[in-house]
Tab-separated table of all heavy atoms in Angstrom:
chain	number	residue	atom	x	y	z
A	126	MET	N	-5.749	136.249	-278.240
A	126	MET	CA	-6.115	137.116	-277.124
A	126	MET	C	-5.441	136.646	-275.844
A	126	MET	O	-5.483	135.465	-275.518
A	126	MET	CB	-7.640	137.103	-276.950
A	126	MET	CG	-8.173	138.267	-276.143
A	126	MET	SD	-9.913	138.008	-275.655
A	126	MET	CE	-9.688	137.220	-274.071
A	127	LYS	N	-4.835	137.568	-275.158
A	127	LYS	CA	-4.172	137.210	-273.913
A	127	LYS	C	-5.164	137.032	-272.778
A	127	LYS	O	-6.151	137.756	-272.691
A	127	LYS	CB	-3.173	138.304	-273.518
A	127	LYS	CG	-1.856	138.201	-274.256
A	127	LYS	CD	-0.869	139.185	-273.664
A	127	LYS	CE	0.474	139.072	-274.358
A	127	LYS	NZ	1.446	140.014	-273.797
A	128	ARG	N	-4.877	136.065	-271.924
A	128	ARG	CA	-5.688	135.865	-270.727
A	128	ARG	C	-5.362	136.963	-269.729
A	128	ARG	O	-4.228	137.406	-269.643
A	128	ARG	CB	-5.367	134.509	-270.067
A	128	ARG	CG	-5.674	133.308	-270.936
A	128	ARG	CD	-7.158	133.104	-271.180
A	128	ARG	NE	-7.928	132.970	-269.978
A	128	ARG	CZ	-8.329	131.810	-269.454
A	128	ARG	NH1	-7.988	130.685	-270.004
A	128	ARG	NH2	-9.080	131.782	-268.368
A	129	VAL	N	-6.361	137.368	-268.996
A	129	VAL	CA	-6.156	138.341	-267.940
A	129	VAL	C	-5.962	137.591	-266.625
A	129	VAL	O	-6.717	136.671	-266.326
A	129	VAL	CB	-7.372	139.291	-267.829
A	129	VAL	CG1	-7.217	140.264	-266.670
A	129	VAL	CG2	-7.578	140.032	-269.139
A	130	CYS	N	-4.949	137.991	-265.880
A	130	CYS	CA	-4.765	137.407	-264.553
A	130	CYS	C	-5.979	137.771	-263.710
A	130	CYS	O	-6.372	138.932	-263.640
A	130	CYS	CB	-3.487	137.939	-263.904
A	130	CYS	SG	-3.340	137.436	-262.182
A	131	GLU	N	-6.584	136.769	-263.078
A	131	GLU	CA	-7.812	137.020	-262.327
A	131	GLU	C	-7.561	137.726	-260.997
A	131	GLU	O	-8.505	138.101	-260.316
A	131	GLU	CB	-8.560	135.697	-262.104
A	131	GLU	CG	-9.141	135.170	-263.410
A	131	GLU	CD	-9.898	133.854	-263.250
A	131	GLU	OE1	-10.477	133.627	-262.187
A	131	GLU	OE2	-9.888	133.066	-264.211
A	132	ARG	N	-6.304	137.884	-260.650
A	132	ARG	CA	-6.012	138.550	-259.376
A	132	ARG	C	-5.533	139.978	-259.556
A	132	ARG	O	-6.047	140.888	-258.937
A	132	ARG	CB	-4.994	137.734	-258.581
A	132	ARG	CG	-5.634	136.433	-258.153
A	132	ARG	CD	-4.844	135.668	-257.165
A	132	ARG	NE	-5.560	134.418	-256.913
A	132	ARG	CZ	-5.005	133.326	-256.434
A	132	ARG	NH1	-3.721	133.301	-256.154
A	132	ARG	NH2	-5.729	132.249	-256.244
A	133	CYS	N	-4.537	140.177	-260.407
A	133	CYS	CA	-4.000	141.531	-260.529
A	133	CYS	C	-4.501	142.240	-261.793
A	133	CYS	O	-4.220	143.409	-262.005
A	133	CYS	CB	-2.477	141.498	-260.487
A	133	CYS	SG	-1.739	140.664	-261.887
A	134	LYS	N	-5.265	141.492	-262.623
A	134	LYS	CA	-5.881	142.041	-263.837
A	134	LYS	C	-4.883	142.493	-264.903
A	134	LYS	O	-5.217	143.228	-265.816
A	134	LYS	CB	-6.843	143.203	-263.513
A	134	LYS	CG	-7.826	142.917	-262.401
A	134	LYS	CD	-8.736	141.739	-262.711
A	134	LYS	CE	-9.673	141.446	-261.529
A	134	LYS	NZ	-10.296	140.111	-261.633
A	135	GLN	N	-3.619	142.032	-264.755
A	135	GLN	CA	-2.631	142.303	-265.792
A	135	GLN	C	-2.830	141.285	-266.923
A	135	GLN	O	-3.550	140.300	-266.751
A	135	GLN	CB	-1.205	142.132	-265.245
A	135	GLN	CG	-0.895	142.949	-264.015
A	135	GLN	CD	-0.659	144.406	-264.339
A	135	GLN	OE1	-0.180	144.744	-265.415
A	135	GLN	NE2	-1.012	145.274	-263.396
A	136	LYS	N	-2.192	141.535	-268.047
A	136	LYS	CA	-2.219	140.561	-269.136
A	136	LYS	C	-0.809	140.014	-269.332
A	136	LYS	O	-0.049	140.516	-270.162
A	136	LYS	CB	-2.742	141.213	-270.423
A	136	LYS	CG	-4.212	141.559	-270.342
A	136	LYS	CD	-4.717	142.105	-271.663
A	136	LYS	CE	-6.199	142.462	-271.567
A	136	LYS	NZ	-6.695	143.090	-272.792
A	137	PRO	N	-0.469	139.017	-268.555
A	137	PRO	CA	0.893	138.475	-268.613
A	137	PRO	C	1.093	137.597	-269.848
A	137	PRO	O	0.131	137.161	-270.480
A	137	PRO	CB	0.974	137.632	-267.340
A	137	PRO	CG	-0.422	137.155	-267.147
A	137	PRO	CD	-1.319	138.287	-267.621
A	138	ASN	N	2.358	137.328	-270.186
A	138	ASN	CA	2.650	136.435	-271.293
A	138	ASN	C	2.319	134.991	-270.945
A	138	ASN	O	1.966	134.208	-271.806
A	138	ASN	CB	4.125	136.544	-271.690
A	138	ASN	CG	4.411	137.859	-272.373
A	138	ASN	OD1	3.609	138.347	-273.161
A	138	ASN	ND2	5.541	138.465	-272.052
A	139	MET	N	2.470	134.689	-269.663
A	139	MET	CA	2.190	133.333	-269.221
A	139	MET	C	1.229	133.339	-268.052
A	139	MET	O	1.357	134.163	-267.158
A	139	MET	CB	3.486	132.652	-268.770
A	139	MET	CG	4.203	131.925	-269.888
A	139	MET	SD	5.683	131.099	-269.249
A	139	MET	CE	4.965	130.108	-267.936
A	140	VAL	N	0.293	132.425	-268.079
A	140	VAL	CA	-0.613	132.281	-266.941
A	140	VAL	C	-0.613	130.824	-266.505
A	140	VAL	O	-0.261	129.934	-267.273
A	140	VAL	CB	-2.065	132.704	-267.278
A	140	VAL	CG1	-2.169	134.192	-267.492
A	140	VAL	CG2	-2.612	131.932	-268.462
A	141	SER	N	-1.001	130.583	-265.281
A	141	SER	CA	-1.201	129.213	-264.832
A	141	SER	C	-2.396	129.186	-263.893
A	141	SER	O	-2.932	130.230	-263.531
A	141	SER	CB	0.057	128.672	-264.150
A	141	SER	OG	0.445	129.533	-263.123
A	142	VAL	N	-2.796	127.977	-263.520
A	142	VAL	CA	-3.958	127.855	-262.641
A	142	VAL	C	-3.477	127.799	-261.198
A	142	VAL	O	-2.511	127.123	-260.883
A	142	VAL	CB	-4.768	126.582	-262.985
A	142	VAL	CG1	-5.992	126.467	-262.085
A	142	VAL	CG2	-5.177	126.592	-264.438
A	143	SER	N	-4.167	128.540	-260.366
A	143	SER	CA	-3.854	128.552	-258.945
A	143	SER	C	-3.994	127.167	-258.334
A	143	SER	O	-4.807	126.373	-258.777
A	143	SER	CB	-4.805	129.510	-258.247
A	143	SER	OG	-4.745	129.332	-256.848
A	144	LYS	N	-3.184	126.903	-257.285
A	144	LYS	CA	-3.327	125.655	-256.539
A	144	LYS	C	-4.381	125.819	-255.444
A	144	LYS	O	-4.848	124.852	-254.874
A	144	LYS	CB	-1.992	125.273	-255.887
A	144	LYS	CG	-0.894	124.925	-256.860
A	144	LYS	CD	-1.010	123.496	-257.349
A	144	LYS	CE	0.258	123.001	-258.023
A	144	LYS	NZ	0.536	123.709	-259.272
A	145	MET	N	-4.747	127.064	-255.180
A	145	MET	CA	-5.672	127.335	-254.081
A	145	MET	C	-7.131	127.268	-254.535
A	145	MET	O	-8.005	126.868	-253.793
A	145	MET	CB	-5.408	128.727	-253.505
A	145	MET	CG	-3.951	129.057	-253.252
A	145	MET	SD	-3.229	128.176	-251.865
A	145	MET	CE	-3.802	129.204	-250.519
A	146	ASN	N	-7.384	127.737	-255.749
A	146	ASN	CA	-8.709	127.638	-256.347
A	146	ASN	C	-8.498	127.568	-257.858
A	146	ASN	O	-7.410	127.236	-258.307
A	146	ASN	CB	-9.608	128.813	-255.920
A	146	ASN	CG	-9.058	130.159	-256.300
A	146	ASN	OD1	-8.163	130.254	-257.131
A	146	ASN	ND2	-9.577	131.201	-255.690
A	147	ASN	N	-9.511	127.869	-258.615
A	147	ASN	CA	-9.354	127.733	-260.065
A	147	ASN	C	-9.045	129.052	-260.769
A	147	ASN	O	-9.264	129.188	-261.967
A	147	ASN	CB	-10.590	127.080	-260.677
A	147	ASN	CG	-10.576	125.571	-260.472
A	147	ASN	OD1	-9.525	124.962	-260.307
A	147	ASN	ND2	-11.739	124.956	-260.454
A	148	ASP	N	-8.526	130.029	-260.040
A	148	ASP	CA	-8.147	131.291	-260.666
A	148	ASP	C	-7.042	131.086	-261.689
A	148	ASP	O	-6.135	130.288	-261.487
A	148	ASP	CB	-7.612	132.273	-259.597
A	148	ASP	CG	-8.734	132.924	-258.803
A	148	ASP	OD1	-9.913	132.697	-259.129
A	148	ASP	OD2	-8.402	133.668	-257.858
A	149	ILE	N	-7.151	131.814	-262.783
A	149	ILE	CA	-6.077	131.853	-263.761
A	149	ILE	C	-5.181	133.014	-263.341
A	149	ILE	O	-5.629	134.164	-263.274
A	149	ILE	CB	-6.643	132.110	-265.180
A	149	ILE	CG1	-7.676	131.043	-265.576
A	149	ILE	CG2	-5.512	132.177	-266.211
A	149	ILE	CD1	-7.163	129.631	-265.664
A	150	ILE	N	-3.952	132.712	-263.031
A	150	ILE	CA	-3.083	133.737	-262.452
A	150	ILE	C	-1.745	133.843	-263.171
A	150	ILE	O	-1.298	132.906	-263.829
A	150	ILE	CB	-2.834	133.478	-260.951
A	150	ILE	CG1	-2.247	132.085	-260.723
A	150	ILE	CG2	-4.133	133.653	-260.163
A	150	ILE	CD1	-1.824	131.822	-259.272
A	151	CYS	N	-1.114	135.012	-263.021
A	151	CYS	CA	0.187	135.255	-263.638
A	151	CYS	C	1.301	134.735	-262.725
A	151	CYS	O	1.055	134.310	-261.594
A	151	CYS	CB	0.360	136.738	-263.919
A	151	CYS	SG	0.537	137.736	-262.430
A	152	VAL	N	2.503	134.811	-263.221
A	152	VAL	CA	3.651	134.288	-262.472
A	152	VAL	C	3.846	135.055	-261.159
A	152	VAL	O	4.130	134.453	-260.123
A	152	VAL	CB	4.935	134.350	-263.343
A	152	VAL	CG1	6.158	133.922	-262.547
A	152	VAL	CG2	4.773	133.467	-264.573
A	153	ASP	N	3.667	136.365	-261.195
A	153	ASP	CA	3.820	137.179	-259.982
A	153	ASP	C	2.830	136.751	-258.903
A	153	ASP	O	3.179	136.628	-257.730
A	153	ASP	CB	3.609	138.662	-260.297
A	153	ASP	CG	4.779	139.239	-261.082
A	153	ASP	OD1	5.830	138.554	-261.181
A	153	ASP	OD2	4.645	140.358	-261.602
A	154	CYS	N	1.588	136.548	-259.309
A	154	CYS	CA	0.561	136.154	-258.348
A	154	CYS	C	0.800	134.737	-257.853
A	154	CYS	O	0.499	134.414	-256.705
A	154	CYS	CB	-0.822	136.295	-258.958
A	154	CYS	SG	-1.298	138.014	-259.196
A	155	LYS	N	1.343	133.900	-258.717
A	155	LYS	CA	1.671	132.533	-258.331
A	155	LYS	C	2.767	132.538	-257.272
A	155	LYS	O	2.693	131.815	-256.290
A	155	LYS	CB	2.119	131.729	-259.560
A	155	LYS	CG	2.149	130.246	-259.324
A	155	LYS	CD	2.443	129.499	-260.608
A	155	LYS	CE	2.640	128.007	-260.365
A	155	LYS	NZ	1.486	127.372	-259.717
A	156	THR	N	3.755	133.392	-257.493
A	156	THR	CA	4.852	133.523	-256.530
A	156	THR	C	4.317	133.999	-255.184
A	156	THR	O	4.713	133.499	-254.132
A	156	THR	CB	5.913	134.506	-257.057
A	156	THR	OG1	6.346	134.035	-258.338
A	156	THR	CG2	7.102	134.591	-256.129
A	157	ALA	N	3.398	134.949	-255.228
A	157	ALA	CA	2.788	135.474	-254.004
A	157	ALA	C	2.003	134.373	-253.295
A	157	ALA	O	2.022	134.274	-252.064
A	157	ALA	CB	1.877	136.648	-254.343
A	158	GLU	N	1.334	133.549	-254.085
A	158	GLU	CA	0.522	132.472	-253.520
A	158	GLU	C	1.377	131.420	-252.819
A	158	GLU	O	0.979	130.857	-251.803
A	158	GLU	CB	-0.269	131.821	-254.662
A	158	GLU	CG	-1.158	130.683	-254.235
A	158	GLU	CD	-1.892	130.056	-255.404
A	158	GLU	OE1	-2.969	130.553	-255.731
A	158	GLU	OE2	-1.386	129.094	-256.001
A	159	GLU	N	2.556	131.197	-253.354
A	159	GLU	CA	3.417	130.133	-252.843
A	159	GLU	C	3.905	130.373	-251.417
A	159	GLU	O	4.360	129.441	-250.762
A	159	GLU	CB	4.620	129.925	-253.790
A	159	GLU	CG	4.226	129.138	-255.022
A	159	GLU	CD	5.280	129.112	-256.105
A	159	GLU	OE1	6.383	129.652	-255.898
A	159	GLU	OE2	4.996	128.553	-257.172
A	160	VAL	N	3.813	131.595	-250.948
A	160	VAL	CA	4.227	131.872	-249.570
A	160	VAL	C	3.015	131.922	-248.628
A	160	VAL	O	3.154	132.179	-247.438
A	160	VAL	CB	5.052	133.180	-249.457
A	160	VAL	CG1	6.345	133.057	-250.256
A	160	VAL	CG2	4.259	134.382	-249.925
A	161	HIS	N	1.836	131.653	-249.180
A	161	HIS	CA	0.633	131.621	-248.349
A	161	HIS	C	0.758	130.466	-247.350
A	161	HIS	O	1.180	129.381	-247.722
A	161	HIS	CB	-0.592	131.423	-249.250
A	161	HIS	CG	-1.904	131.597	-248.545
A	161	HIS	ND1	-2.411	130.647	-247.687
A	161	HIS	CD2	-2.801	132.605	-248.573
A	161	HIS	CE1	-3.571	131.074	-247.230
A	161	HIS	NE2	-3.837	132.261	-247.745
A	162	PRO	N	0.400	130.688	-246.069
A	162	PRO	CA	0.537	129.619	-245.062
A	162	PRO	C	-0.226	128.340	-245.395
A	162	PRO	O	0.165	127.262	-244.965
A	162	PRO	CB	0.013	130.256	-243.766
A	162	PRO	CG	-0.604	131.560	-244.149
A	162	PRO	CD	-0.024	131.956	-245.465
A	163	MET	N	-1.283	128.445	-246.181
A	163	MET	CA	-2.070	127.255	-246.516
A	163	MET	C	-1.726	126.688	-247.891
A	163	MET	O	-2.388	125.766	-248.364
A	163	MET	CB	-3.566	127.592	-246.466
A	163	MET	CG	-4.106	127.791	-245.057
A	163	MET	SD	-3.951	126.297	-244.045
A	163	MET	CE	-5.261	125.296	-244.769
A	164	TYR	N	-0.701	127.240	-248.515
A	164	TYR	CA	-0.374	126.826	-249.887
A	164	TYR	C	-0.110	125.328	-249.989
A	164	TYR	O	-0.657	124.645	-250.856
A	164	TYR	CB	0.827	127.611	-250.411
A	164	TYR	CG	1.235	127.201	-251.808
A	164	TYR	CD1	0.475	127.588	-252.915
A	164	TYR	CD2	2.363	126.415	-252.023
A	164	TYR	CE1	0.833	127.204	-254.186
A	164	TYR	CE2	2.731	126.033	-253.301
A	164	TYR	CZ	1.969	126.428	-254.376
A	164	TYR	OH	2.331	126.044	-255.639
A	165	HIS	N	0.717	124.817	-249.067
A	165	HIS	CA	1.080	123.404	-249.154
A	165	HIS	C	-0.104	122.487	-248.849
A	165	HIS	O	-0.253	121.440	-249.470
A	165	HIS	CB	2.288	123.102	-248.263
A	165	HIS	CG	3.540	123.689	-248.823
A	165	HIS	ND1	4.231	123.104	-249.858
A	165	HIS	CD2	4.200	124.834	-248.539
A	165	HIS	CE1	5.273	123.867	-250.182
A	165	HIS	NE2	5.283	124.924	-249.391
A	166	ALA	N	-0.953	122.918	-247.915
A	166	ALA	CA	-2.161	122.152	-247.604
A	166	ALA	C	-3.084	122.125	-248.817
A	166	ALA	O	-3.655	121.085	-249.159
A	166	ALA	CB	-2.874	122.758	-246.406
A	167	ALA	N	-3.208	123.259	-249.477
A	167	ALA	CA	-4.063	123.364	-250.656
A	167	ALA	C	-3.522	122.497	-251.788
A	167	ALA	O	-4.276	121.838	-252.504
A	167	ALA	CB	-4.165	124.819	-251.100
A	168	MET	N	-2.192	122.507	-251.922
A	168	MET	CA	-1.543	121.737	-252.972
A	168	MET	C	-1.747	120.240	-252.718
A	168	MET	O	-2.048	119.479	-253.636
A	168	MET	CB	-0.057	122.078	-253.000
A	168	MET	CG	0.606	121.793	-254.306
A	168	MET	SD	2.221	122.572	-254.425
A	168	MET	CE	3.127	121.736	-253.156
A	169	LYS	N	-1.600	119.829	-251.452
A	169	LYS	CA	-1.796	118.432	-251.061
A	169	LYS	C	-3.221	117.984	-251.349
A	169	LYS	O	-3.448	116.894	-251.870
A	169	LYS	CB	-1.522	118.270	-249.559
A	169	LYS	CG	-0.199	117.631	-249.253
A	169	LYS	CD	-0.123	117.330	-247.767
A	169	LYS	CE	1.281	116.937	-247.351
A	169	LYS	NZ	1.425	116.935	-245.882
A	170	ALA	N	-4.186	118.836	-250.993
A	170	ALA	CA	-5.598	118.503	-251.188
A	170	ALA	C	-5.897	118.337	-252.672
A	170	ALA	O	-6.617	117.431	-253.080
A	170	ALA	CB	-6.474	119.590	-250.575
A	171	LYS	N	-5.315	119.209	-253.480
A	171	LYS	CA	-5.530	119.153	-254.922
A	171	LYS	C	-4.916	117.885	-255.500
A	171	LYS	O	-5.516	117.204	-256.326
A	171	LYS	CB	-4.926	120.396	-255.594
A	171	LYS	CG	-5.381	120.581	-257.028
A	171	LYS	CD	-5.153	121.995	-257.512
A	171	LYS	CE	-5.882	122.222	-258.830
A	171	LYS	NZ	-6.009	123.638	-259.169
A	172	HIS	N	-3.723	117.563	-255.019
A	172	HIS	CA	-3.018	116.373	-255.468
A	172	HIS	C	-3.805	115.115	-255.102
A	172	HIS	O	-3.965	114.209	-255.921
A	172	HIS	CB	-1.621	116.348	-254.824
A	172	HIS	CG	-0.740	115.270	-255.359
A	172	HIS	ND1	-0.311	115.237	-256.675
A	172	HIS	CD2	-0.203	114.176	-254.766
A	172	HIS	CE1	0.447	114.162	-256.850
A	172	HIS	NE2	0.529	113.498	-255.714
A	173	ALA	N	-4.315	115.082	-253.866
A	173	ALA	CA	-5.090	113.933	-253.389
A	173	ALA	C	-6.357	113.751	-254.227
A	173	ALA	O	-6.718	112.632	-254.581
A	173	ALA	CB	-5.453	114.121	-251.919
A	174	ALA	N	-7.016	114.866	-254.552
A	174	ALA	CA	-8.234	114.814	-255.360
A	174	ALA	C	-7.913	114.283	-256.749
A	174	ALA	O	-8.654	113.477	-257.315
A	174	ALA	CB	-8.859	116.200	-255.445
A	175	CYS	N	-6.786	114.696	-257.267
A	175	CYS	CA	-6.331	114.281	-258.593
A	175	CYS	C	-6.105	112.772	-258.626
A	175	CYS	O	-6.553	112.089	-259.539
A	175	CYS	CB	-5.052	115.033	-258.945
A	175	CYS	SG	-4.667	114.973	-260.684
A	176	ILE	N	-5.436	112.250	-257.592
A	176	ILE	CA	-5.168	110.817	-257.483
A	176	ILE	C	-6.485	110.048	-257.366
A	176	ILE	O	-6.650	108.972	-257.941
A	176	ILE	CB	-4.248	110.527	-256.267
A	176	ILE	CG1	-2.826	110.988	-256.601
A	176	ILE	CG2	-4.265	109.048	-255.896
A	176	ILE	CD1	-1.872	110.939	-255.433
A	177	ALA	N	-7.435	110.631	-256.646
A	177	ALA	CA	-8.746	110.000	-256.464
A	177	ALA	C	-9.592	110.080	-257.734
A	177	ALA	O	-10.700	109.560	-257.785
A	177	ALA	CB	-9.477	110.648	-255.293
A	178	GLY	N	-9.080	110.746	-258.752
A	178	GLY	CA	-9.782	110.817	-260.032
A	178	GLY	C	-10.695	112.025	-260.161
A	178	GLY	O	-11.438	112.144	-261.126
A	179	ASP	N	-10.649	112.903	-259.167
A	179	ASP	CA	-11.492	114.098	-259.221
A	179	ASP	C	-10.761	115.208	-259.975
A	179	ASP	O	-10.085	116.034	-259.404
A	179	ASP	CB	-11.832	114.561	-257.796
A	179	ASP	CG	-12.783	115.747	-257.787
A	179	ASP	OD1	-13.231	116.168	-258.870
A	179	ASP	OD2	-13.072	116.253	-256.688
A	180	THR	N	-10.946	115.207	-261.285
A	180	THR	CA	-10.237	116.189	-262.098
A	180	THR	C	-10.916	117.554	-262.061
A	180	THR	O	-10.378	118.535	-262.554
A	180	THR	CB	-10.132	115.713	-263.565
A	180	THR	OG1	-11.439	115.343	-264.013
A	180	THR	CG2	-9.209	114.519	-263.688
A	181	ASN	N	-12.092	117.608	-261.474
A	181	ASN	CA	-12.793	118.893	-261.385
A	181	ASN	C	-12.705	119.492	-259.988
A	181	ASN	O	-13.462	120.393	-259.636
A	181	ASN	CB	-14.274	118.719	-261.766
A	181	ASN	CG	-14.417	118.439	-263.253
A	181	ASN	OD1	-13.781	119.087	-264.071
A	181	ASN	ND2	-15.233	117.471	-263.583
A	182	TYR	N	-11.783	118.972	-259.191
A	182	TYR	CA	-11.608	119.503	-257.842
A	182	TYR	C	-11.353	121.005	-257.904
A	182	TYR	O	-10.428	121.456	-258.570
A	182	TYR	CB	-10.428	118.795	-257.166
A	182	TYR	CG	-10.111	119.327	-255.792
A	182	TYR	CD1	-10.984	119.134	-254.735
A	182	TYR	CD2	-8.943	120.035	-255.553
A	182	TYR	CE1	-10.708	119.625	-253.475
A	182	TYR	CE2	-8.645	120.531	-254.297
A	182	TYR	CZ	-9.533	120.326	-253.258
A	182	TYR	OH	-9.248	120.825	-252.022
A	183	PRO	N	-12.199	121.778	-257.223
A	183	PRO	CA	-12.113	123.230	-257.373
A	183	PRO	C	-11.071	123.912	-256.494
A	183	PRO	O	-10.811	125.097	-256.664
A	183	PRO	CB	-13.519	123.690	-256.973
A	183	PRO	CG	-13.994	122.643	-256.015
A	183	PRO	CD	-13.343	121.355	-256.417
A	184	GLY	N	-10.477	123.167	-255.565
A	184	GLY	CA	-9.467	123.779	-254.716
A	184	GLY	C	-9.981	124.087	-253.331
A	184	GLY	O	-11.174	124.270	-253.115
A	185	LEU	N	-9.042	124.172	-252.411
A	185	LEU	CA	-9.354	124.407	-251.008
A	185	LEU	C	-10.056	125.753	-250.822
A	185	LEU	O	-10.863	125.936	-249.927
A	185	LEU	CB	-8.048	124.385	-250.215
A	185	LEU	CG	-8.070	124.014	-248.740
A	185	LEU	CD1	-8.688	122.644	-248.523
A	185	LEU	CD2	-6.647	124.023	-248.177
A	186	TYR	N	-9.743	126.697	-251.686
A	186	TYR	CA	-10.296	128.046	-251.566
A	186	TYR	C	-11.272	128.354	-252.704
A	186	TYR	O	-11.396	129.499	-253.124
A	186	TYR	CB	-9.162	129.077	-251.527
A	186	TYR	CG	-8.413	129.050	-250.216
A	186	TYR	CD1	-7.444	128.106	-249.987
A	186	TYR	CD2	-8.711	129.967	-249.211
A	186	TYR	CE1	-6.767	128.042	-248.774
A	186	TYR	CE2	-8.047	129.933	-248.003
A	186	TYR	CZ	-7.076	128.969	-247.790
A	186	TYR	OH	-6.422	128.911	-246.596
A	187	ALA	N	-11.937	127.330	-253.174
A	187	ALA	CA	-12.870	127.481	-254.275
A	187	ALA	C	-13.919	128.544	-253.983
A	187	ALA	O	-14.496	128.586	-252.899
A	187	ALA	CB	-13.562	126.159	-254.556
A	188	GLY	N	-14.129	129.389	-254.917
A	188	GLY	CA	-15.167	130.402	-254.785
A	188	GLY	C	-14.763	131.593	-253.937
A	188	GLY	O	-15.489	132.578	-253.841
A	189	LYS	N	-13.583	131.501	-253.302
A	189	LYS	CA	-13.118	132.618	-252.488
A	189	LYS	C	-12.339	133.604	-253.362
A	189	LYS	O	-11.663	133.221	-254.296
A	189	LYS	CB	-12.235	132.106	-251.361
A	189	LYS	CG	-12.963	131.137	-250.446
A	189	LYS	CD	-12.758	131.549	-249.002
A	189	LYS	CE	-13.703	130.834	-248.059
A	189	LYS	NZ	-13.620	129.373	-248.128
A	190	ILE	N	-12.472	134.853	-253.022
A	190	ILE	CA	-11.761	135.890	-253.757
A	190	ILE	C	-10.422	136.174	-253.062
A	190	ILE	O	-10.393	136.410	-251.848
A	190	ILE	CB	-12.607	137.190	-253.819
A	190	ILE	CG1	-13.994	136.924	-254.389
A	190	ILE	CG2	-11.866	138.265	-254.636
A	190	ILE	CD1	-14.051	136.437	-255.818
A	191	TYR	N	-9.359	136.131	-253.812
A	191	TYR	CA	-8.031	136.419	-253.286
A	191	TYR	C	-7.935	137.886	-252.880
A	191	TYR	O	-8.496	138.717	-253.559
A	191	TYR	CB	-6.993	136.104	-254.367
A	191	TYR	CG	-5.581	136.067	-253.866
A	191	TYR	CD1	-5.069	134.895	-253.283
A	191	TYR	CD2	-4.769	137.184	-253.965
A	191	TYR	CE1	-3.779	134.866	-252.822
A	191	TYR	CE2	-3.482	137.151	-253.492
A	191	TYR	CZ	-2.982	135.990	-252.923
A	191	TYR	OH	-1.699	135.964	-252.450
A	192	PRO	N	-7.246	138.257	-251.798
A	192	PRO	CA	-6.512	137.403	-250.871
A	192	PRO	C	-7.409	136.678	-249.871
A	192	PRO	O	-8.399	137.230	-249.428
A	192	PRO	CB	-5.599	138.388	-250.133
A	192	PRO	CG	-6.323	139.690	-250.197
A	192	PRO	CD	-7.106	139.674	-251.488
A	193	PHE	N	-7.049	135.446	-249.561
A	193	PHE	CA	-7.858	134.612	-248.682
A	193	PHE	C	-7.594	134.956	-247.219
A	193	PHE	O	-6.497	135.258	-246.866
A	193	PHE	CB	-7.534	133.128	-248.905
A	193	PHE	CG	-7.530	132.749	-250.361
A	193	PHE	CD1	-6.390	132.313	-250.956
A	193	PHE	CD2	-8.691	132.864	-251.117
A	193	PHE	CE1	-6.373	131.960	-252.304
A	193	PHE	CE2	-8.680	132.517	-252.463
A	193	PHE	CZ	-7.518	132.072	-253.062
B	409	ZN	ZN1	-1.482	138.451	-261.438
């Protein structure tokens, strides 16, 4: 069963997890996210949490519905 992109509701061949929150998103939505002004801050925060051992870090925009 294909995963549904949580943002555009398409069923892409490939999905990945957002850097902004835990949304499962397609490549198109990921590309759109990468130009978000807070993308790099969100990525840094996620990376820092990962280094600190917080593997369940929900993201800077956790619980928020895209677009932020
Ligand atoms: Zn999508």
Side-chain angles (χ1 to χ4, degrees):
M126 198 193 91
K127 279 188 178 180
R128 298 292 303 261
V129 176
C130 172
E131 290 180 31
R132 293 191 183 158
C133 66
K134 312 300 177 196
Q135 305 284 329
K136 291 184 180 176
N138 289 321
M139 270 182 55
V140 291
S141 54
V142 181
S143 167
K144 294 278 195 294
M145 314 288 278
N146 59 16
N147 281 335
D148 282 355
I149 303 298
I150 56 173
C151 69
V152 175
D153 288 348
C154 290
K155 194 174 173 57
T156 304
E158 180 181 273
E159 282 169 4
V160 297
H161 189 285
M163 288 298 286
Y164 178 74
H165 289 281
M168 203 166 65
K169 256 188 191 167
K171 194 162 192 164
H172 188 65
C175 197
I176 287 172
D179 184 4
T180 51
N181 290 315
Y182 177 68
L185 206 57
Y186 288 81
K189 300 230 167 57
I190 306 297
Y191 193 84
F193 312 117

